[in-house]
Amino acid sequence: MNRSEGDALLTAGAQAYGRGEIAEALRIFEFVAATTEGNARIAAVVNAASVYDELGRHTEAIDRYRAALAEMPDSATELRAGALINMSQAQQHLGDLDGAYTALTLARALLADAEELGTLRTACLLSLTAVAMHRQQWEPALQMSTESLDAALCFAPHLAGHALMNMAGIHFETGRHDLADDFAAQALAAFEAAEDRNAVAETQQNLAIMRIRADRSDAEDYLLPSQEYFEHAGFGHRAGIGLKLLGFLAEGHADPHRARALYHRALTYFLETGAKLDAADIRIRLATLLFTAEPAYPPDDAVLPSGDASALTERIGSESKAPGSATSHDVASAPPPSGKESPSIDARTAREGDSPTSSQVDGEGNTAAEDLPGTVASQLNEASALLAAARHTFAELGLGLHCAQLDFWHAALLDSLGVWDRVVSVAAVDLAVPAALAIDAVRYTMPSGRQRDRWHREIADPALRLAFRLAHRCGDVELLTDLIATRCAGTTLHVDRTEHAASLRIPLDMVEPPPPRSSAPPLGSALAAVAAGAGFPVPPPPRLAIAPDGHIALAAYITAAEQRYGRAIRSDRTISA
């Protein structure tokens, strides 16, 4: 195939993509990549990679971008810069913000003196804005979005809508919802004027997300037309996101059967497109629905047999355990704080002197849910498998904090059963306390008051409240004493004596912490909490020695948390409480 034929096919592929014919566009780009050489082939590989990224196949996209970059001559400024910018978007989708920023920095340097490549310069600024937004650096993000809008109006008016939508997102995240609505409306109008159907649908979906998070009732007005487009055009990842949003709305409308059906459809899309984190999120939502479904609730006066709880919790430890010691990239399941080797509920129960009957224990020391009514046991076992699969995904990707948040949620689900069985309560404690410690420790890394407030309000405070409540339910006086001493040495936690488990509905999005700040001089526990409250970077607080015996408060739980989640929970220093 000669160069002119290759260029014609590239144009045809771009036109197919613009019409929403994603499969046809990918077919054309792959054909050109396989049958041409030189710049046409490289451009086809880059375009195919962009389609893979749009389909949610981010790792495959990055592999193709890197292959294309390796073939490019140094003189191909436009091709190289474009590939770097597009690759940065795929890296952002995988959470590799450092890699994305490096790629964009290289692209920006290439384009610094290329006035004729104004469109690429605008795209680079838009992507740098997105990286700042992912890092929750709102002031730099707003500055960059303003710069990108100026560049778009000067060089690439068809990209102005993206800059406007970034501004909408920034204002929304910083609580200025009226401004967010105004900029989003401008962005939608800009995309409609440019006849960019893909961008129109994406903006409609983003507007729906903003409305759902703001608890507004008009989200479906934007969600339904975008969903129809994404499903028809074959954008599997975006279609999965839309179905997740519709499922979330169905939950809010007290329609769990419709929510479950929508979540299952979303899971299918995510599995097909390789979106592992999205698939894990859906599995947690499905497990939550199984816990809260009407048949899964025993009567208020029922007592759940001891062995039944383990079917729900045993797999969480055993299926996600990674070999060797845990690091920040190697998240493992740790033995329970009792120090037993097995993470099973039987080991925890034996520690308390309260073991299941022999009929509930198999040859490996695991128990089953066979004594529960069939429907209930089936639901809880299915929920257990879903949670285990989600946790395995997080552990496999080295996402220790996600594992901690899942363990907190799992403990909350166990708490929601409303039974006072000792095995269930002890299992919930062994999940909740290490998770709460890991989640609370994140606040020491946060650089701004808004980030800390959201993290504390939405994540850390509920986790710590649950830990207190479950420790009280188990009657574990030593644990309660250690928790109180730890809180007295740090920040105050207000726990209502009559507090009970809230209605269980998982939030729309898992709250993400920003990247940790640089190291800082050590402070005492209380001073560290004050410094973190003021926005200073501080190391983890020291361990507390409790009088009169000098034992380290929560020592076993701290060890379990650091091993399970691969994060530093306390420093090596010790101070007296």
Side-chain angles (χ1 to χ4, degrees):
M1 183 186 302
N2 60 41
R3 180 174 178 178
S4 61
E5 291 174 332
D7 289 343
L9 281 173
L10 287 174
T11 300
Q15 291 172 343
Y17 179 85
R19 294 191 302 269
E21 298 173 7
I22 307 304
E24 176 64 10
L26 183 59
R27 186 194 67 77
I28 292 172
F29 294 142
E30 295 279 29
F31 176 74
V32 175
T35 57
T36 61
E37 297 179 352
N39 286 350
R41 169 185 148 71
I42 294 171
V45 173
V46 170
N47 289 347
S50 297
V51 176
Y52 277 113
D53 187 42
E54 191 70 39
L55 292 171
R57 296 162 67 176
H58 309 307
T59 301
E60 294 172 80
I62 291 172
D63 290 342
R64 282 166 172 75
Y65 284 128
R66 286 177 173 156
L69 286 165
E71 293 184 29
M72 291 178 191
D74 293 338
S75 59
T77 300
E78 183 175 4
L79 273 176
R80 182 172 294 276
L84 287 167
I85 293 167
N86 289 336
M87 185 174 71
S88 77
Q89 295 175 2
Q91 290 170 315
Q92 289 176 63
H93 291 148
L94 290 176
D96 182 11
L97 300 184
D98 290 339
Y101 184 78
T102 299
L104 291 169
T105 301
L106 292 172
R108 194 175 190 183
L110 287 171
L111 298 168
D113 299 320
E115 292 289 337
E116 72 280 7
L117 300 178
T119 297
L120 276 179
R121 291 174 65 184
T122 303
C124 185
L125 291 169
L126 289 169
S127 292
L128 282 167
T129 305
V131 170
M133 292 173 68
H134 281 304
R135 287 176 165 164
Q136 302 179 32
Q137 298 170 338
W138 303 119
E139 185 175 347
L142 187 57
Q143 293 172 351
M144 192 66 68
S145 67
T146 302
E147 186 179 348
S148 63
L149 179 59
D150 291 340
L153 294 175
C154 181
F155 300 113
H158 64 287
L159 296 179
H162 294 286
L164 290 165
M165 198 61 208
N166 281 341
M167 289 181 171
I170 293 164
H171 287 301
F172 183 86
E173 295 296 343
T174 52
R176 292 168 285 191
H177 291 183
D178 289 341
L179 280 172
D181 278 349
D182 181 58
F183 280 112
Q186 291 183 56
L188 188 59
F191 289 134
E192 289 173 341
E195 298 183 349
D196 189 339
R197 188 67 189 87
N198 294 339
V200 168
E202 289 180 8
T203 302
Q204 289 172 328
Q205 190 177 85
N206 289 333
L207 279 164
I209 293 172
M210 290 165 57
R211 277 154 172 73
I212 291 172
R213 289 181 54 193
D215 200 24
R216 292 174 54 170
S217 60
D218 57 342
E220 286 192 359
D221 295 343
Y222 296 93
L223 187 54
L224 293 176
S226 66
Q227 186 64 22
E228 181 180 359
Y229 172 78
F230 287 133
E231 291 194 26
H232 175 75
F235 286 106
H237 187 229
R238 281 283 184 174
I241 292 172
L243 289 166
K244 166 188 164 178
L245 296 172
L246 288 168
F248 185 82
L249 289 174
E251 279 194 78
H253 296 150
D255 191 349
H257 298 294
R258 183 167 184 265
R260 190 176 298 112
L262 290 164
Y263 285 151
H264 274 295
R265 289 181 59 199
L267 181 61
T268 299
Y269 274 116
F270 291 146
L271 292 175
E272 288 176 350
T273 58
K276 292 184 178 180
L277 287 178
D278 290 299
D281 176 85
I282 292 297
R283 287 182 171 119
I284 297 170
R285 295 177 190 280
L286 286 168
T288 301
L289 286 174
L290 287 166
F291 264 97
T292 56
E294 195 66 30
Y297 273 107
D300 290 341
D301 58 351
V303 176
L304 190 66
S306 297
D308 302 333
S310 64
L312 192 60
T313 60
E314 174 67 21
R315 299 191 189 100
I316 293 298
S318 61
E319 293 189 13
S320 61
K321 187 169 184 178
S325 59
T327 68
S328 59
H329 300 290
D330 179 15
V331 181
S333 291
S338 63
K340 299 293 182 181
E341 291 184 0
S342 169
S344 71
I345 287 187
D346 304 312
R348 299 182 182 118
T349 307
R351 177 195 67 185
E352 302 293 337
D354 206 7
S355 56
T357 63
S358 58
S359 63
Q360 296 165 334
V361 182
D362 64 18
E364 297 179 353
N366 301 322
T367 56
E370 59 188 21
D371 293 332
L372 276 172
T375 303
V376 176
S378 175
Q379 287 182 195
L380 297 187
N381 283 329
E382 183 181 351
S384 173
L386 288 165
L387 291 171
R391 199 184 193 286
H392 178 77
T393 296
F394 295 152
E396 183 181 48
L397 297 174
L399 300 174
L401 189 58
H402 284 65
C403 291
Q405 290 179 259
L406 187 150
D407 284 350
F408 153 65
W409 192 251
H410 188 187
L413 291 173
L414 289 174
D415 183 48
S416 75
L417 291 174
V419 297
W420 290 87
D421 178 79
R422 185 170 186 76
V423 174
V424 175
S425 297
V426 171
V429 165
D430 284 347
L431 286 167
V433 177
L437 292 173
I439 290 167
D440 184 57
V442 173
R443 64 193 170 94
Y444 293 97
T445 69
M446 294 188 170
S448 80
R450 179 177 295 277
Q451 291 165 349
R452 288 188 305 276
D453 176 69
R454 185 183 180 198
W455 186 261
H456 178 74
R457 179 168 32 86
E458 298 185 21
I459 303 296
D461 190 61
L464 288 165
R465 286 171 178 263
L466 179 66
F468 269 91
R469 186 169 63 248
L470 291 171
H472 177 267
R473 174 175 296 180
C474 285
D476 192 330
V477 176
E478 180 179 343
L479 175 56
L480 279 170
T481 300
D482 283 1
L483 284 169
I484 292 169
T486 302
R487 301 313 299 167
C488 287
T491 54
T492 303
L493 179 73
H494 299 289
V495 181
D496 188 340
R497 288 178 59 194
T498 61
E499 181 190 2
H500 57 277
S503 175
L504 282 176
R505 184 186 181 205
I506 192 168
L508 181 61
D509 293 302
M510 188 174 284
V511 180
E512 297 282 357
R517 296 189 65 171
S518 58
S519 60
L523 297 173
S525 184
L527 288 177
V530 172
F536 305 134
V538 296
R543 299 166 194 263
L544 296 177
I546 306 296
D549 60 354
H551 76 272
I552 301 301
L554 304 173
Y557 293 99
I558 292 169
T559 299
E562 292 182 338
Q563 291 180 355
R564 288 178 189 177
Y565 311 126
R567 302 177 65 90
I569 306 303
R570 295 289 187 270
S571 70
D572 293 332
R573 297 182 307 117
T574 300
I575 62 173
S576 298

